[in-house]
Amino acid sequence: MKLSKLMHVGSVIVGFVGVISFIGSLMGGSDDLVFGITKMDALACTAILILIAIWMQIATVHHMMLERKGEMI
């Protein structure tokens, strides 16, 4: 399997985890605890997960362009 395909699958998984975490933090209970941490910390972790997914997609596009040219990393 090519590296770009693995990176794409990884970014999709991280993106889904970020979305699930976001939904969970929005629907958290009234005690301001989500997954055992505060709601603000959960939202910060969600933002970081979404940024990681975006960064991995950009890297995937870059690797696909390199694979098209025949350059392997």
Side-chain angles (χ1 to χ4, degrees):
M1 186 177 263
K2 292 182 180 179
L3 179 62
S4 61
K5 289 189 186 273
L6 289 174
M7 291 172 62
H8 175 70
V9 169
S11 67
V12 168
I13 290 170
V14 170
F16 278 143
V17 169
V19 168
I20 296 300
S21 174
F22 180 69
I23 291 170
S25 62
L26 285 182
M27 299 209 174
S30 62
D31 58 353
D32 280 344
L33 288 179
V34 179
F35 307 123
I37 58 175
T38 64
K39 191 177 280 195
M40 292 308 293
D41 288 338
L43 287 172
C45 290
T46 299
I48 291 170
L49 285 171
I50 298 297
L51 288 175
I52 289 171
I54 292 169
W55 177 54
M56 286 179 71
Q57 282 294 342
I58 292 170
T60 301
V61 170
H62 175 70
H63 278 273
M64 287 174 65
M65 289 171 43
L66 288 177
E67 288 171 356
R68 233 182 252 152
K69 290 181 181 178
E71 302 173 20
M72 295 303 289
I73 294 179

